[in-house]
Amino acid sequence: MKMEDEHAIILIVTEDALLRKTEADILTKKGFRVIPVGRGKEAIEAIEKNGISVTLIDLDIENVSGLDLLREIKIRKPEIECILVTGFASQESAIKAISLGAFSYLKKPYDMDRLLLIVQHAAEKHRAQRALQDSEAHYRRIFDTAGVSLGEVDFSEVVPKLDALKEQGVSDIRAYFDNHPEVIRELIKHIRIVDVNPTALQLYG
């Protein structure tokens, strides 16, 4: 697997200067951009100023627990993938980390190859989510600025009712509707307008 991801910025948060340097050196050699910090306050400043993709958080850092930092990051930047590392892992803390949105949870000492693999997967997930957001934003711009009437209509509640008619032996739906206009009126009630663009609003008032 190719480990490099030139777009991924990895934030390392640990008071252990040696571990911080070791992780930073390894990740940098693998092509990642790395920002190493030793305190929770520095971590918050880093995520506000940089396009962080993944954060490696030591569970025990000065003035704030790793879980509290994880919670704060997810509030401020929910798209950032967070990996918690600790030398005192417990099932309770692991469950808490996952419930707060952690991507993964590692117990020290850990294998660096495994760490690299987890970081890569987290970076790939972040990149995929960012691509999806960009695609949705692009679609929204086209939808909102189009000079023709556009809309999104949900027929999900209508389809089962049509299937039920077929199961009842109705083979010619058009003829059936001609003879039972009240069914059409009933089906129309189950059609849901999800979204329309400004042009459609102007056209139909």
Side-chain angles (χ1 to χ4, degrees):
M1 178 180 293
K2 184 179 180 181
M3 299 302 298
E4 294 84 353
D5 185 344
E6 62 182 5
H7 300 297
I9 302 177
I10 313 301
L11 175 66
I12 298 173
V13 190
T14 177
E15 291 181 332
D16 188 330
L18 179 59
L19 179 61
R20 192 163 66 236
K21 184 179 186 305
T22 300
E23 291 178 340
D25 288 346
I26 292 174
L27 290 170
T28 299
K29 288 179 180 178
K30 290 298 181 178
F32 293 102
R33 296 172 57 192
V34 180
I35 300 175
V37 299
R39 298 170 181 267
K41 181 180 179 181
E42 294 173 326
I44 296 301
E45 292 174 351
I47 68 167
E48 294 293 350
K49 297 178 181 178
N50 305 276
I52 304 296
S53 301
V54 180
T55 302
L56 286 173
I57 306 172
D58 197 323
L59 193 61
D60 300 302
I61 51 180
E62 187 176 346
N63 297 326
V64 59
S65 75
L67 290 174
D68 288 338
L69 180 57
L70 167 63
R71 182 185 294 106
E72 186 66 21
I73 289 175
K74 283 298 182 179
I75 291 174
R76 293 170 181 259
K77 303 284 183 177
E79 71 277 7
I80 295 177
E81 299 299 336
C82 299
I83 302 168
L84 258 67
V85 296
T86 179
F88 306 98
S90 68
Q91 184 177 10
E92 181 181 355
S93 60
I95 292 174
K96 184 66 173 178
I98 298 303
S99 69
L100 290 173
F103 180 83
S104 188
Y105 188 94
L106 285 171
K107 181 180 179 180
K108 295 185 287 188
Y110 45 81
D111 181 74
M112 280 297 175
D113 287 337
R114 182 163 182 260
L115 174 65
L116 286 170
L117 189 62
I118 292 175
V119 169
Q120 176 65 16
H121 287 166
E124 289 173 352
K125 180 182 177 183
H126 179 271
R127 184 173 60 248
Q129 290 177 330
R130 185 176 60 193
L132 177 60
Q133 291 171 353
D134 290 345
S135 177
E136 291 176 343
H138 179 65
Y139 162 78
R140 172 52 62 180
R141 286 193 297 271
I142 294 174
F143 184 83
D144 287 342
T145 60
V148 296
S149 173
L150 296 175
E152 181 182 355
V153 184
D154 181 6
F155 290 92
S156 61
E157 293 186 16
V158 175
V159 173
K161 298 181 184 301
L162 294 177
D163 291 340
L165 289 176
K166 292 180 180 179
E167 291 176 359
Q168 293 169 15
V170 177
S171 57
D172 189 336
I173 292 291
R174 184 181 295 274
Y176 179 84
F177 285 158
D178 286 342
N179 294 322
H180 300 85
E182 73 281 0
V183 175
I184 296 179
R185 290 192 292 270
E186 180 61 28
L187 290 176
I188 288 175
K189 296 178 182 178
H190 296 279
I191 298 174
R192 189 168 67 92
I193 306 299
V194 178
D195 199 2
V196 294
N197 69 348
T199 301
L201 288 176
Q202 183 178 6
L203 178 63
Y204 295 106

